[in-house]
Amino acid sequence: MKRAIIESRPYLLLSLLFGISYFFVKDGNIPGMYLMFWKGAGVGFLAVYALRRAHNFEGKLIAAVMAFGALGDMLIEFDLMAGAGAFIVGHCIAIGLYWRHRRPETSFSQKAFALLLVPITMFIAWSLPFDRSEALGLAVYSLFLAVMAAMAWTSSFPRYRVGIGALLFIISDLFIFAQMGFLQNSAIPGWTIWPLYYVGQFLIVTGVVRTLRKEMAIPNP
Protein backbone atom coordinates (compact mmCIF):
# COMPACT_ATOMS: atom_id res chain seq x y z
CA MET A 1 0.00 0.00 0.00
CA LYS A 2 2.76 2.46 0.92
CA ARG A 3 4.62 1.66 -2.28
CA ALA A 4 1.44 2.16 -4.33
CA ILE A 5 0.91 5.57 -2.76
CA ILE A 6 4.52 6.56 -3.41
CA GLU A 7 4.40 5.37 -7.02
CA SER A 8 0.98 6.59 -8.18
CA ARG A 9 -0.81 9.14 -6.06
CA PRO A 10 1.88 11.82 -6.21
CA TYR A 11 1.39 11.98 -9.98
CA LEU A 12 -2.36 12.39 -9.63
CA LEU A 13 -1.83 15.02 -6.94
CA LEU A 14 0.71 16.86 -9.10
CA SER A 15 -1.70 16.69 -12.03
CA LEU A 16 -4.50 18.11 -9.90
CA LEU A 17 -2.17 20.80 -8.53
CA PHE A 18 -1.13 22.03 -11.97
CA GLY A 19 -4.50 21.39 -13.63
CA ILE A 20 -6.56 23.26 -11.05
CA SER A 21 -4.09 26.07 -10.46
CA TYR A 22 -3.71 26.71 -14.20
CA PHE A 23 -7.33 27.86 -14.32
CA PHE A 24 -6.51 30.64 -11.84
CA VAL A 25 -3.20 31.75 -13.36
CA LYS A 26 -3.93 31.45 -17.10
CA ASP A 27 -4.96 35.09 -17.39
CA GLY A 28 -2.22 36.40 -15.11
CA ASN A 29 1.16 37.95 -15.80
CA ILE A 30 3.18 34.73 -15.88
CA PRO A 31 5.66 34.67 -18.82
CA GLY A 32 4.37 32.71 -21.80
CA MET A 33 6.91 29.89 -21.73
CA TYR A 34 6.36 29.18 -18.03
CA LEU A 35 2.59 29.30 -18.48
CA MET A 36 2.82 26.91 -21.42
CA PHE A 37 4.65 24.28 -19.36
CA TRP A 38 2.30 24.91 -16.43
CA LYS A 39 -0.62 24.13 -18.72
CA GLY A 40 0.99 21.02 -20.17
CA ALA A 41 1.89 19.66 -16.74
CA GLY A 42 -1.75 19.10 -15.80
CA VAL A 43 -2.33 16.36 -18.37
CA GLY A 44 1.37 15.50 -18.62
CA PHE A 45 1.37 14.07 -15.11
CA LEU A 46 -1.69 12.01 -16.05
CA ALA A 47 0.50 10.36 -18.69
CA VAL A 48 3.11 9.56 -16.04
CA TYR A 49 0.39 8.19 -13.77
CA ALA A 50 -0.80 5.85 -16.54
CA LEU A 51 2.72 4.59 -17.21
CA ARG A 52 3.36 3.86 -13.55
CA ARG A 53 0.04 2.19 -12.81
CA ALA A 54 -0.75 0.13 -15.93
CA HIS A 55 2.24 -1.93 -17.06
CA ASN A 56 0.82 -3.47 -20.23
CA PHE A 57 0.47 -2.36 -23.84
CA GLU A 58 -2.90 -0.68 -23.24
CA GLY A 59 -1.36 1.24 -20.36
CA LYS A 60 1.24 2.62 -22.75
CA LEU A 61 -1.51 3.54 -25.18
CA ILE A 62 -3.50 5.60 -22.68
CA ALA A 63 -0.25 7.20 -21.49
CA ALA A 64 0.46 8.17 -25.11
CA VAL A 65 -3.04 9.64 -25.42
CA MET A 66 -2.39 11.83 -22.40
CA ALA A 67 1.12 12.73 -23.59
CA PHE A 68 -0.16 13.95 -26.96
CA GLY A 69 -2.93 15.79 -25.12
CA ALA A 70 -0.33 17.60 -23.01
CA LEU A 71 1.68 18.36 -26.14
CA GLY A 72 -1.43 19.73 -27.82
CA ASP A 73 -2.17 21.88 -24.76
CA MET A 74 1.22 23.51 -25.11
CA LEU A 75 1.44 23.79 -28.91
CA ILE A 76 -2.01 25.35 -29.22
CA GLU A 77 -0.69 28.39 -27.35
CA PHE A 78 1.55 29.14 -30.34
CA ASP A 79 -0.11 27.52 -33.33
CA LEU A 80 -3.67 26.25 -33.50
CA MET A 81 -2.93 23.80 -36.33
CA ALA A 82 0.08 22.29 -34.56
CA GLY A 83 -1.93 21.84 -31.39
CA ALA A 84 -4.82 20.29 -33.33
CA GLY A 85 -2.38 17.90 -35.02
CA ALA A 86 -1.09 16.65 -31.66
CA PHE A 87 -4.63 16.14 -30.42
CA ILE A 88 -5.58 14.23 -33.59
CA VAL A 89 -2.69 11.82 -33.03
CA GLY A 90 -3.93 11.32 -29.47
CA HIS A 91 -7.49 10.76 -30.70
CA CYS A 92 -6.30 8.12 -33.17
CA ILE A 93 -4.39 6.26 -30.46
CA ALA A 94 -7.46 6.44 -28.19
CA ILE A 95 -9.66 5.07 -30.99
CA GLY A 96 -7.32 2.11 -31.31
CA LEU A 97 -7.38 1.53 -27.56
CA TYR A 98 -11.17 1.64 -27.36
CA TRP A 99 -11.44 -0.63 -30.41
CA ARG A 100 -9.34 -3.21 -28.58
CA HIS A 101 -11.78 -2.96 -25.68
CA ARG A 102 -15.14 -3.04 -27.44
CA ARG A 103 -18.15 -3.75 -25.25
CA PRO A 104 -19.45 -7.29 -25.99
CA GLU A 105 -23.07 -6.14 -25.97
CA THR A 106 -24.34 -2.65 -26.69
CA SER A 107 -27.99 -1.61 -26.54
CA PHE A 108 -29.74 0.01 -29.48
CA SER A 109 -29.88 3.39 -27.71
CA GLN A 110 -26.17 3.26 -26.96
CA LYS A 111 -25.32 2.40 -30.56
CA ALA A 112 -27.65 5.13 -31.85
CA PHE A 113 -26.10 7.71 -29.54
CA ALA A 114 -22.59 6.80 -30.67
CA LEU A 115 -23.55 6.89 -34.35
CA LEU A 116 -25.37 10.22 -34.09
CA LEU A 117 -22.61 11.79 -32.00
CA VAL A 118 -20.23 11.96 -34.96
CA PRO A 119 -22.33 13.86 -37.55
CA ILE A 120 -23.93 16.09 -34.90
CA THR A 121 -20.54 17.10 -33.46
CA MET A 122 -19.14 17.74 -36.93
CA PHE A 123 -22.16 19.83 -37.93
CA ILE A 124 -22.04 21.96 -34.78
CA ALA A 125 -18.29 22.53 -35.20
CA TRP A 126 -18.76 23.42 -38.87
CA SER A 127 -21.57 25.87 -38.10
CA LEU A 128 -19.86 27.82 -35.29
CA PRO A 129 -17.13 30.05 -36.82
CA PHE A 130 -18.12 33.37 -38.39
CA ASP A 131 -15.16 33.02 -40.76
CA ARG A 132 -16.47 30.28 -43.02
CA SER A 133 -12.97 29.50 -44.30
CA GLU A 134 -12.31 27.88 -40.90
CA ALA A 135 -15.44 25.73 -40.92
CA LEU A 136 -14.11 22.79 -42.93
CA GLY A 137 -10.96 22.46 -40.83
CA LEU A 138 -12.99 22.43 -37.62
CA ALA A 139 -15.32 19.80 -39.03
CA VAL A 140 -12.40 17.57 -40.04
CA TYR A 141 -10.80 17.86 -36.61
CA SER A 142 -14.18 17.17 -34.99
CA LEU A 143 -14.46 13.94 -36.97
CA PHE A 144 -11.49 12.48 -35.07
CA LEU A 145 -12.72 13.94 -31.77
CA ALA A 146 -16.25 12.57 -32.16
CA VAL A 147 -15.16 9.12 -33.33
CA MET A 148 -12.91 8.94 -30.28
CA ALA A 149 -15.82 9.81 -28.00
CA ALA A 150 -18.18 7.40 -29.76
CA MET A 151 -15.67 4.58 -29.38
CA ALA A 152 -15.17 5.46 -25.72
CA TRP A 153 -18.95 5.37 -25.17
CA THR A 154 -19.24 1.88 -26.68
CA SER A 155 -16.04 0.48 -25.15
CA SER A 156 -15.84 -1.86 -22.17
CA PHE A 157 -14.37 0.92 -20.05
CA PRO A 158 -16.73 2.54 -17.49
CA ARG A 159 -19.17 4.63 -19.48
CA TYR A 160 -19.87 7.05 -16.65
CA ARG A 161 -16.18 7.74 -16.29
CA VAL A 162 -14.42 7.24 -19.64
CA GLY A 163 -17.50 7.87 -21.79
CA ILE A 164 -18.53 10.98 -19.89
CA GLY A 165 -14.93 12.19 -19.90
CA ALA A 166 -14.83 11.96 -23.70
CA LEU A 167 -18.10 13.88 -23.97
CA LEU A 168 -16.71 16.63 -21.73
CA PHE A 169 -13.73 16.81 -24.13
CA ILE A 170 -16.15 17.39 -27.02
CA ILE A 171 -18.07 20.10 -25.16
CA SER A 172 -14.82 21.85 -24.22
CA ASP A 173 -13.65 21.94 -27.83
CA LEU A 174 -17.03 23.17 -29.04
CA PHE A 175 -16.70 26.11 -26.65
CA ILE A 176 -13.30 26.83 -28.24
CA PHE A 177 -14.95 26.87 -31.66
CA ALA A 178 -17.79 29.03 -30.32
CA GLN A 179 -15.17 31.67 -29.48
CA MET A 180 -14.75 32.00 -33.23
CA GLY A 181 -18.46 32.73 -33.53
CA PHE A 182 -21.34 33.80 -31.34
CA LEU A 183 -19.34 33.57 -28.08
CA GLN A 184 -16.37 35.61 -29.28
CA ASN A 185 -17.14 38.43 -26.85
CA SER A 186 -18.46 36.24 -24.06
CA ALA A 187 -16.79 35.26 -20.78
CA ILE A 188 -18.42 31.83 -20.87
CA PRO A 189 -15.62 30.03 -22.78
CA GLY A 190 -13.00 31.34 -20.38
CA TRP A 191 -14.88 29.83 -17.46
CA THR A 192 -15.74 26.50 -19.08
CA ILE A 193 -13.11 25.34 -21.59
CA TRP A 194 -10.28 24.35 -19.27
CA PRO A 195 -12.38 22.83 -16.44
CA LEU A 196 -14.40 20.69 -18.87
CA TYR A 197 -11.29 19.57 -20.74
CA TYR A 198 -9.17 18.78 -17.70
CA VAL A 199 -11.93 16.96 -15.83
CA GLY A 200 -12.65 14.99 -19.01
CA GLN A 201 -9.04 13.88 -19.36
CA PHE A 202 -8.84 13.03 -15.65
CA LEU A 203 -11.97 10.86 -15.87
CA ILE A 204 -10.69 9.13 -18.99
CA VAL A 205 -7.26 8.18 -17.69
CA THR A 206 -8.39 7.10 -14.22
CA GLY A 207 -11.24 5.06 -15.67
CA VAL A 208 -9.00 3.31 -18.18
CA VAL A 209 -6.16 2.67 -15.74
CA ARG A 210 -8.39 1.24 -13.03
CA THR A 211 -10.04 -1.09 -15.54
CA LEU A 212 -6.69 -2.26 -16.89
CA ARG A 213 -5.44 -2.95 -13.38
CA LYS A 214 -8.51 -5.05 -12.64
CA GLU A 215 -7.90 -7.00 -15.83
CA MET A 216 -4.32 -7.62 -14.72
CA ALA A 217 -5.64 -8.75 -11.31
CA ILE A 218 -3.69 -6.04 -9.49
CA PRO A 219 -5.67 -4.62 -6.57
CA ASN A 220 -6.36 -0.89 -6.59
CA PRO A 221 -4.88 1.17 -3.74
Side-chain angles (χ1 to χ4, degrees):
M1 179 68 73
K2 291 181 179 179
R3 182 177 179 183
I5 294 174
I6 293 173
E7 290 184 350
S8 67
R9 289 185 180 175
Y11 301 112
L12 286 182
L13 292 174
L14 284 169
S15 173
L16 288 167
L17 174 64
F18 282 100
I20 295 173
S21 62
Y22 174 75
F23 177 77
F24 296 99
V25 303
K26 61 185 177 68
D27 297 320
N29 297 320
I30 298 176
M33 188 64 67
Y34 293 105
L35 190 61
M36 179 190 73
F37 284 110
W38 195 321
K39 182 182 184 183
V43 176
F45 277 112
L46 293 180
V48 180
Y49 162 77
L51 281 176
R52 297 301 297 268
R53 298 301 289 155
H55 305 292
N56 57 7
F57 179 66
E58 283 84 358
K60 293 180 175 62
L61 288 180
I62 191 61
V65 171
M66 294 297 120
F68 277 104
L71 180 62
D73 290 336
M74 294 185 289
L75 290 178
I76 203 170
E77 295 297 314
F78 298 98
D79 187 280
L80 182 63
M81 293 300 294
F87 279 116
I88 286 175
V89 174
H91 295 331
C92 290
I93 297 172
I95 290 169
L97 171 63
Y98 301 144
W99 178 262
R100 291 169 61 91
H101 286 260
R102 298 187 300 277
R103 189 175 293 269
E105 295 183 3
T106 307
S107 68
F108 173 78
S109 61
Q110 293 163 354
K111 290 179 181 178
F113 178 81
L115 288 172
L116 291 173
L117 183 63
V118 177
I120 290 175
T121 301
M122 292 180 66
F123 175 76
I124 295 174
W126 175 84
S127 67
L128 285 174
F130 286 157
D131 183 352
R132 301 312 299 159
S133 66
E134 298 175 331
L136 179 59
L138 297 183
V140 171
Y141 168 80
S142 296
L143 170 63
F144 293 93
L145 173 66
V147 171
M148 178 277 294
M151 293 297 295
W153 191 257
T154 55
S155 73
S156 61
F157 295 114
R159 182 172 291 121
Y160 294 105
R161 185 180 291 266
V162 178
I164 292 296
L167 294 181
L168 291 178
F169 201 145
I170 286 182
I171 297 170
S172 172
D173 276 1
L174 290 180
F175 272 116
I176 293 176
F177 305 154
Q179 285 184 307
M180 305 175 185
F182 72 99
L183 290 181
Q184 63 181 5
N185 296 317
S186 172
I188 294 175
W191 285 97
T192 56
I193 290 172
W194 180 256
L196 288 170
Y197 164 76
Y198 177 75
V199 171
Q201 293 283 52
F202 189 91
L203 289 175
I204 288 170
V205 73
T206 54
V208 169
V209 167
R210 290 181 181 181
T211 300
L212 294 178
R213 286 178 60 79
K214 288 180 180 179
E215 292 177 354
M216 294 185 295
I218 301 176
N220 286 318

